[in-house]
Amino acid sequence: TGPITFATGRDTTAYLQPLLDRWNQAHPAEKVTLLELPEAADEQRAQMVANLQAQSSRYDVLGLDVVWTAEFAENGWIIPLERGLFPLDRFLPPVVETAIYKDKLWAVPYTSNAGLLYYRTDLVKEPPRTWAELRHQAREIRKKHNIGGYAGQFLAYEGLTVNFSEAVQSAGGQILSPDGTEVTLDPATGETALDFLLQGLRERWIPEESLSFKEEESRLAFQEGRLAFARNWPHGFGPARAELGDKVAVTRLPGLDGPGSSTLGGVNLAISAFSKNQHTAQEFIRYFTSLENERRVLTEGSFPPVWTELYDDPALIRRFPYLPVLKESIMAAKARPASANYNQLSLVIASSVAKALGTPTPESADDVAVSMKSELEEIIRTQ
């Protein structure tokens, strides 16, 4: 036991420190210090990996993107946890699965996430359920109001992998098997997913500037009134409501023939294998993922909690009207593959999609889909 550090992505809503202060007041000999890493997940991972490869004890509790569980466990960077210490049966089931690797619990779910379609209620009568409806509405709004139609996260990083994965899932396919050992992408489905994005760029209802968008850029573009539709995580709802009031609503992502499928996101808390105060780290995680604290994660940070009952709380639904849609989206979302080589697989997906979307001479969608499948199969063969 003793003082610990909590390494996680930058706190963009300033909600974390008050929660840490509550722990510190009650545990003066076991104070926790917040270490803020960069906002982008790729950069967070790079800093954590460098620290853990050096077997440094600087990080005690790690805020891991849900997709890193397998890699960090396989490399011996985090320790397995005792399931009975945490109320996992009261958490959303798909979220718990992201913390398990080879039948062991390696982390505890802290926040969940699923992509949502934000839209302007003053410009949209009925939100689109299909890509065709989205295209029609975005084109009409662009002509009539001279604003961008739709954008997601299209810079070549993990966000682009997520956006493309959602497009593939929403067209009825999947890029990789759940364990990451098999490439399940049908090139025809991959081409359909790419064509959805390419058509938007060609017809300009997806603005070209969105090729440089990460989460924050797309959030700002929507809440500043430069987009009618935006794909983003739920954390953008509070700021958008503050800026645009009741003109903001969310729905499930559209798909090829009906509602689409999101990628499951979120943060899990793990303990560094090199932490010198692992007992304190474990007790801190128990505190930080408690029902009371998870309520604060939502009310003070606008992040989706992992406790199922909070999504059904009438008072919370009045304050956060997107909760029923978000719960539905999380339950229908697909987790990214539990592969120790996920980062390498993701880099191939993002760079391949960027080639298709790139200007001024993008590669053809069918060529990109075929070559992407081939590159992914090569990685899996040699891993």
Side-chain angles (χ1 to χ4, degrees):
T1 64
I4 58 171
T5 59
F6 175 28
T8 191
R10 187 167 70 85
D11 178 12
T12 57
T13 60
Y15 85 102
L16 268 177
Q17 194 58 54
L19 303 189
L20 302 181
D21 290 343
R22 287 189 179 93
W23 165 272
N24 289 340
Q25 286 162 11
H27 303 83
E30 299 173 277
K31 287 190 174 179
V32 59
T33 300
L34 177 64
L35 298 179
E36 289 187 296
L37 304 181
E39 188 180 305
D42 297 12
E43 295 172 44
Q44 292 170 28
R45 178 190 163 278
Q47 287 197 21
M48 284 188 187
V49 168
N51 175 279
L52 295 165
Q53 284 178 333
Q55 300 189 8
S56 167
S57 61
R58 177 164 166 73
Y59 298 165
D60 295 290
V61 176
L62 306 168
L64 303 184
D65 188 298
V66 292
V67 79
W68 301 338
T69 304
E71 177 189 11
F72 281 54
E74 189 68 38
N75 284 294
W77 296 334
I78 55 178
I79 62 170
L81 305 172
E82 188 180 329
R83 295 190 194 208
L85 293 174
F86 309 95
L88 303 178
D89 60 329
R90 297 175 71 179
F91 293 177
L92 293 162
V95 176
V96 174
E97 286 302 311
T98 67
I100 294 170
Y101 178 64
K102 293 185 176 178
D103 294 326
K104 288 185 179 179
L105 181 73
W106 294 92
V108 181
Y110 171 58
T111 62
S112 187
N113 240 342
L116 299 171
L117 182 72
Y118 287 69
Y119 67 95
R120 288 276 298 275
T121 57
D122 56 328
L123 304 177
V124 178
K125 289 181 181 176
E126 288 289 333
R129 290 167 51 85
T130 66
W131 289 345
E133 291 173 5
L134 174 63
R135 172 179 178 259
H136 173 73
Q137 293 182 21
R139 291 179 75 188
E140 292 300 307
I141 291 169
R142 180 176 175 272
K143 282 184 208 168
K144 190 172 179 181
H145 299 279
N146 195 32
I147 65 171
Y150 168 78
Q153 293 74 49
F154 302 143
L155 184 70
Y157 77 116
E158 176 65 14
L160 183 56
T161 297
V162 166
N163 277 248
F164 178 67
S165 297
E166 289 174 340
V168 171
Q169 291 160 199
S170 299
Q174 199 160 357
I175 301 174
L176 298 157
S177 61
D179 62 1
T181 61
E182 183 184 354
V183 181
T184 54
L185 176 66
D186 172 17
T189 307
E191 184 180 352
T192 299
L194 285 169
D195 279 338
F196 159 62
L197 299 173
L198 281 167
Q199 184 180 45
L201 288 164
R202 278 195 304 264
E203 296 177 350
R204 302 180 69 185
W205 50 270
I206 295 180
E208 189 177 324
E209 67 169 339
S210 66
L211 294 174
S212 65
F213 280 6
K214 293 191 286 190
E215 281 85 354
E216 280 300 283
E217 289 84 358
S218 51
R219 178 182 71 82
L220 288 171
F222 179 79
Q223 75 183 53
E224 290 171 358
R226 293 185 278 125
L227 290 171
F229 300 97
R231 179 264 175 226
N232 216 329
W233 306 103
H235 75 280
F237 187 83
R241 267 288 170 99
E243 193 76 27
L244 298 168
D246 291 340
K247 295 176 183 177
V248 178
V250 293
T251 188
R252 283 182 62 179
L253 297 175
L256 181 61
D257 300 311
S261 168
S262 172
T263 293
L264 195 62
V267 172
N268 296 335
L269 302 184
I271 299 174
S272 166
F274 313 108
S275 166
K276 289 183 166 51
N277 295 318
Q278 292 182 356
H279 181 74
T280 295
Q282 175 184 280
E283 292 308 300
F284 171 74
I285 290 175
R286 279 160 54 87
Y287 154 78
F288 223 52
T289 57
S290 66
L291 179 60
E292 180 186 8
N293 223 48
E294 285 285 304
R295 187 181 294 272
R296 292 192 184 106
V297 166
L298 174 62
T299 58
E300 297 173 24
S302 289
F303 287 97
V306 297
W307 285 69
T308 304
E309 61 201 76
L310 294 177
Y311 288 83
D312 304 319
D313 184 316
L316 290 176
I317 292 171
R318 281 194 295 274
R319 184 170 169 187
F320 302 96
Y322 61 81
L323 285 176
V325 170
L326 178 57
K327 182 183 178 184
E328 188 182 328
S329 296
I330 290 172
M331 297 302 286
K334 287 186 168 65
R336 283 162 280 183
S339 168
N341 286 314
Y342 176 79
N343 191 58
Q344 194 176 0
L345 297 167
S346 175
L347 286 170
V348 166
I349 295 168
S351 62
S352 298
V353 176
K355 289 176 188 173
L357 303 184
T359 54
T361 54
E363 295 186 16
S364 69
D366 57 340
D367 287 346
V368 166
V370 170
S371 64
M372 180 194 301
K373 181 172 186 179
S374 175
E375 285 185 65
L376 293 172
E377 287 174 338
E378 181 63 25
I379 291 171
I380 288 173
R381 268 198 306 273
T382 58
Q383 68 184 11

